[in-house]
Amino acid sequence: MEQYKQEFIEFMVDSRVLKFGEFILKSGRKSPFFMNAGAYVTGAQLKKLGEYYARAIHDNYGDDFDVLFGPAYKGIPLSVATTIAYSELYGREIRYCSNRKEAKDHGDVGILLGSRLKDGDRVVIIEDVTTSGKSIEETFPILKEQADVEIKGLMVSLNRMEKGLGGKVGALQEIREKYGFEARAIVTMGDVIEHLYNRPYRGEILIDDALKAAIDAYYAEYGV
């Protein structure tokens, strides 16, 4: 596994973003692991996170895009931090855009925050994690309603390696097939297991045999 992936996994653990236990997800699934990008709360964490995303986006999509779109709410700080990091790392001035949950009817009216979208804009969507693909089902119409944009791809930090809404293929693959754009991740849950299973990190075994068995059982039902 590449060194930067190992570092990112440890960064998620240190930031208390990646946790193990028992969690109910937005999809309704009961999961033995959970990733919460809302736990990135300090300036140093957000700066580092933006740099990881920027490198992954640059590696996967190059500079061939204009706007970074982060769906509300967690996508808002992700898009801002990554836009700043992209400028610092690659000297490329992309624009950030996010949506509001409710349209504003005064001042800066409309449903969007940040840059307005215009016809021909090339957009990369940025999210924390995609479990079933439900969030993209909500985001895609918002983008298309605002302008005739071209969606270059989706970047998430963790690929949970689970079935999408259709229940047959992985969520990221389902997004590619349904919407026609690429969907990539900085790391996969397989990478996490490979790096942490029965391997001490800061004096603790985070994924022991019992937790590994729970993860295996979860993937027997929801995995791909």
Side-chain angles (χ1 to χ4, degrees):
M1 188 194 315
E2 297 93 326
Q3 181 67 29
Y4 84 92
K5 290 186 177 183
Q6 298 178 35
E7 292 173 358
F8 183 66
I9 291 166
E10 293 171 3
F11 171 62
M12 287 193 292
V13 171
D14 289 342
S15 301
R16 300 187 61 77
V17 165
L18 180 61
K19 297 182 179 181
F20 303 98
E22 188 173 289
F23 308 92
I24 302 299
L25 308 178
K26 183 179 181 180
S27 61
R29 299 171 183 174
K30 185 182 293 185
S31 173
F33 55 91
F34 182 63
M35 190 230 151
N36 174 26
Y40 294 118
V41 294
T42 71
Q45 287 173 335
L46 289 170
K47 182 178 186 297
K48 199 168 183 179
L49 178 63
E51 290 170 353
Y52 279 117
Y53 266 107
R55 289 192 172 97
I57 290 170
H58 187 267
D59 287 350
N60 284 276
Y61 302 116
D63 291 329
D64 190 27
F65 69 102
D66 309 294
V67 179
L68 195 58
F69 183 85
Y73 289 106
K74 291 178 183 175
I76 297 174
L78 294 180
S79 62
V80 173
T82 306
T83 300
I84 294 170
Y86 212 92
S87 174
E88 292 180 344
L89 290 175
Y90 303 110
R92 177 84 158 78
E93 292 298 345
I94 57 173
R95 292 139 49 208
Y96 101 89
C97 180
S98 295
N99 65 294
R100 299 179 172 96
K101 290 292 188 179
E102 297 178 356
K104 188 177 178 183
D105 60 3
H106 61 280
D108 183 19
V109 299
I111 199 168
L112 297 182
L113 295 167
S115 173
R116 296 297 175 189
L117 296 175
K118 59 180 184 292
D119 292 349
D121 274 341
R122 299 161 300 172
V123 179
V124 171
I125 303 171
I126 182 172
E127 290 203 282
D128 55 347
V129 64
T130 294
T131 301
S132 65
K134 183 175 176 61
S135 57
I136 293 299
E137 190 175 67
E138 299 169 353
T139 299
F140 187 79
I142 293 173
L143 288 168
K144 287 299 187 178
E145 286 169 3
Q146 299 303 311
D148 183 18
V149 300
E150 175 189 359
I151 300 176
K152 302 293 293 186
L154 165 71
M155 179 59 67
V156 301
S157 58
L158 177 66
N159 178 0
R160 289 181 57 100
M161 301 169 59
E162 297 178 34
K163 297 173 185 176
L165 293 174
K168 295 181 179 179
V169 299
L172 296 188
Q173 182 180 342
E174 190 172 86
I175 288 168
R176 287 192 290 268
E177 293 175 355
K178 184 174 182 179
Y179 299 105
F181 57 81
E182 287 298 316
R184 307 285 178 82
I186 302 174
V187 295
T188 69
M189 196 59 202
D191 295 327
V192 173
I193 294 168
E194 176 186 338
H195 187 56
L196 295 179
Y197 177 46
N198 276 343
R199 181 179 296 173
Y201 179 65
R202 299 195 185 282
E204 182 181 1
I205 300 291
L206 298 173
I207 302 180
D208 58 14
D209 290 338
L211 182 58
K212 178 64 162 53
I215 293 173
D216 289 344
Y218 181 77
Y219 277 129
E221 184 171 1
Y222 299 117
V224 293

